[in-house]
Amino acid sequence: LYYLALGNYKLGNYAEARRYNDLLLEKEPSNLQAQSLRTLIDDRVSREGMMGLAIAGGVAVAAGIVGGILMK
């Protein structure tokens, strides 16, 4: 399960990585590798979420500027 979680993490499939890692932690709550991987997955998901918000915000600003120019 650890290698399935790790492989999915490296491929960017964070939901699948979390699913496999959670299954492993249910069976082995004291597994240090799985605990570390959980932290990595959570950090990456939160970082990519922030990047997505920044990109969406940038697109909204650009659309506002273009819309303002076209309305003149």
Side-chain angles (χ1 to χ4, degrees):
L1 286 173
Y2 174 76
Y3 289 111
L4 287 170
L6 183 62
N8 277 291
Y9 170 77
K10 289 185 176 189
L11 291 172
N13 300 328
Y14 304 119
E16 285 295 305
R18 180 177 281 155
R19 186 171 69 88
Y20 286 122
N21 201 53
D22 287 346
L23 286 171
L24 175 58
L25 285 170
E26 284 178 18
K27 298 192 181 302
E28 297 180 36
S30 61
N31 187 316
L32 294 177
Q33 285 182 313
Q35 291 171 6
S36 295
L37 184 56
R38 173 189 274 173
T39 302
L40 288 174
I41 294 167
D42 290 344
D43 289 346
R44 184 60 62 106
V45 167
S46 66
R47 186 178 324 152
E48 288 202 0
M50 290 295 181
M51 288 175 64
L53 289 175
I55 290 169
V59 168
V61 169
I65 291 171
V66 169
I69 291 171
L70 292 175
M71 294 300 234
K72 283 187 173 185

